[in-house]
Amino acid sequence: MPTERMPGIMPVPPAEWLLVDDAYAAQMAERTRLIARHPDRVHRLTPQAMPAAQELLRHVLDQLRDRTDFKVCATDVTRPDGVRVPLDSDAPLLTLGHLVQQDFCLLQQQGDVHLLTGAILCFPASWTLAEKIGRPLIAIHRPVPAYDGDVARRVQRLFDAIRPGQVLGRANALVYDDPTLFQPCLEDAPRRPAQTGGYLRSERQCLIRLPESGAVVFSIHTSVIRRDIEKDAQ
């Protein structure tokens, strides 16, 4: 996908929204560890977002039923790595955090803006969920220099226009010294450029709209590779 201009959005076939790659088992083990040890750092859900979060869980389960690598039953799901995950509609985002590699952010319209009202965010790339929850898009992206007024207006138009059934996506590429997936950072913390830049971190970011609640879902599939591997493959 093109990444030169934000937001760089392209259509994604709905069947390709949720990805399972070679890192699935390792990433799911890390998600399980993070949810167990740091639940307040990787999960937030406001009361107003509960119906949307439950709708998102149902939507993801519908997607997984169409796959051969997941076995979806009434009370649980067996993952591609053989792990059985109980289904809990009272903890919909945490349940999702145990099912798929993607992180999910829920954004709901209030007046002319969309607010972040819930998320399961195990793999943040230099931002902190606790600092962003309840804030509109422009405030969420305050530390991003490229997210200026023009980009903010284009993104808001995109959020207003996206229809249920559509999947829109983009990808970015970020250079890191550390391959750790959980990399939170406060807004006002100093941004230090990568020294060795030994790892390339890429996020496949997708947007969908849930038909019942109207909430917009921002999903993030994170991949990290060593840059020498990347060079060898070129």
Side-chain angles (χ1 to χ4, degrees):
M1 297 178 194
T3 58
E4 291 82 2
R5 294 185 61 199
M6 294 183 68
I9 293 288
M10 297 286 286
V12 174
E16 297 177 13
W17 173 44
L18 301 176
L19 298 182
V20 173
D21 61 25
D22 292 343
Y24 180 88
Q27 287 199 1
M28 296 312 299
E30 177 65 359
R31 296 176 75 83
T32 297
R33 185 189 72 83
L34 289 166
I35 290 170
R37 294 190 181 184
H38 309 291
D40 291 340
R41 300 186 71 187
V42 302
H43 171 256
R44 292 294 172 106
L45 184 61
T46 64
Q48 75 185 81
M50 175 59 88
Q54 292 171 329
E55 183 184 2
L56 174 59
L57 176 59
R58 295 193 299 271
H59 185 70
V60 170
L61 291 175
D62 287 342
Q63 295 269 314
L64 299 185
R65 287 188 183 95
D66 293 334
R67 302 179 62 107
T68 59
D69 46 356
F70 288 83
K71 182 181 179 182
V72 181
C73 299
T75 59
D76 61 77
V77 174
T78 302
R79 302 186 325 206
D81 58 356
V83 173
R84 175 184 164 276
V85 178
L87 297 177
D88 185 355
S89 62
D90 291 328
L93 296 184
L94 289 170
T95 301
L96 285 169
H98 288 292
L99 286 176
V100 293
Q101 289 169 267
Q102 285 77 8
D103 284 319
F104 296 101
C105 298
L106 288 169
L107 295 115
Q108 295 180 276
Q109 190 162 7
Q110 182 173 304
D112 295 332
V113 299
H114 282 76
L115 307 180
L116 177 63
T117 56
I120 180 73
L121 183 73
C122 293
F123 303 154
S126 300
W127 60 288
T128 301
L129 179 56
E131 200 171 41
K132 307 294 187 179
I133 195 73
R135 299 174 69 182
L137 287 168
I138 188 69
I140 289 171
H141 290 91
R142 183 177 69 84
V144 182
Y147 201 94
D148 57 16
D150 178 61
V151 169
R153 285 187 291 273
R154 288 193 286 132
V155 171
Q156 187 58 55
R157 286 198 297 270
L158 181 67
F159 273 57
D160 292 340
I162 189 170
R163 302 185 304 276
Q166 285 184 302
V167 182
L168 302 177
R170 67 181 294 268
N172 63 15
L174 308 166
V175 176
Y176 277 73
D177 293 329
D178 182 354
T180 301
L181 288 162
F182 180 66
Q183 298 229 22
C185 183
L186 294 174
E187 277 188 9
D188 294 326
R191 292 306 200 260
R192 298 182 177 88
Q195 300 300 309
T196 62
Y199 295 90
L200 185 68
R201 180 176 178 134
S202 178
E203 294 180 335
R204 180 182 186 260
Q205 304 169 345
C206 292
L207 293 172
I208 68 166
R209 183 183 295 281
L210 298 174
E212 296 173 21
S213 63
V216 175
V217 179
F218 178 65
S219 67
I220 311 163
H221 182 111
T222 302
S223 303
V224 179
I225 60 171
R226 286 179 56 181
R227 296 187 76 196
D228 56 352
I229 294 175
E230 177 206 19
K231 292 174 184 176
D232 290 342
Q234 292 178 345

